């Protein structure tokens, strides 16, 4: 299981890569394996301020649809448009090509509440 140490994680299986006052968000390797083949990613919250824990989009796999939860409060700046033509990138490379949104953080102190790689490993039983 790939769980990069440089990222932060949530109990809802999202990852966060913080770069200054912006962050990239996607779903973890564990989450994409649980979902199976991803066929569609929908994010209709561009330019919206979303609070931590609120839904910012959905990911559709062959057998299920799952909500995507905002790991930290912020304004959605960008959707990874490459996922429109290649949603399978989430399965193949969830931490690089498979990122879903870029956001502007509302409160950088919220990052401290996210899980470390070690804590996330414990959560999923790795």
């Amino acid at each position: 299981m790939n769980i990069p140490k440089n990222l932060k994680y949530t109990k809802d299986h999202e990852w966060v890569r913080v770069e200054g006052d912006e962050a990239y968000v996607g779903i973890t390797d564990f989450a994409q394996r649980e979902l199976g083949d991803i066929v569609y990613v929908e994010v209709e919250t561009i330019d919206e301020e979303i609070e931590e824990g609120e839904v910012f989009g959905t990911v559709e796999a062959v057998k299920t649809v799952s909500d995507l939860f905002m790991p930290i409060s912020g304004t959605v700046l960008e959707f990874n448009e490459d996922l429109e033509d290649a949603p399978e990138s989430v399965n193949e490379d969830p931490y690089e090509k498979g990122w879903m949104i870029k956001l502007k953080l509302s409160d950088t102190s919220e990052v401290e509440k996210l899980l470390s790689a070690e804590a996330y490993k414990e959560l999923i039983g790795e």
Side-chain angles (χ1 to χ4, degrees):
M1 185 85 48
N2 184 9
I3 304 171
K5 292 182 187 287
N6 65 318
L7 303 177
K8 295 290 190 177
Y9 301 87
T10 71
K11 292 177 181 172
D12 294 313
H13 310 290
E14 279 92 18
W15 58 263
V16 180
R17 183 176 69 238
V18 177
E19 297 180 358
D21 63 350
E22 296 180 341
Y24 290 85
V25 176
I27 63 170
T28 65
D29 191 27
F30 175 84
Q32 68 83 16
R33 288 180 191 204
E34 291 291 305
L35 288 168
D37 292 337
I38 293 172
V39 295
Y40 188 67
V41 178
E42 180 176 48
V43 174
E44 294 183 350
T45 51
I46 304 298
D47 296 328
E48 291 182 28
E49 177 139 358
I50 312 288
E51 294 296 314
E52 173 190 354
E54 290 183 352
V55 173
F56 71 83
T58 57
V59 61
E60 185 176 336
V62 173
K63 298 179 184 175
T64 188
V65 175
S66 183
D67 286 334
L68 298 166
F69 297 98
M70 196 69 140
I72 43 183
S73 301
T75 301
V76 179
L77 299 175
E78 188 178 334
F79 168 64
N80 181 357
E81 294 182 6
D82 292 343
L83 298 181
E84 290 178 357
D85 294 327
E88 66 277 5
S89 296
V90 176
N91 294 113
E92 296 164 0
D93 190 3
Y95 301 113
E96 294 296 329
K97 291 181 188 168
W99 67 272
M100 295 179 176
I101 60 169
K102 179 181 178 181
L103 63 107
K104 173 100 169 151
L105 302 175
S106 297
D107 180 359
T108 55
S109 70
E110 286 183 3
V111 173
E112 296 166 21
K113 295 189 281 184
L114 297 171
L115 301 172
S116 66
E118 292 74 25
Y120 184 69
K121 283 180 186 179
E122 283 182 33
L123 176 75
I124 63 172
E126 273 292 301

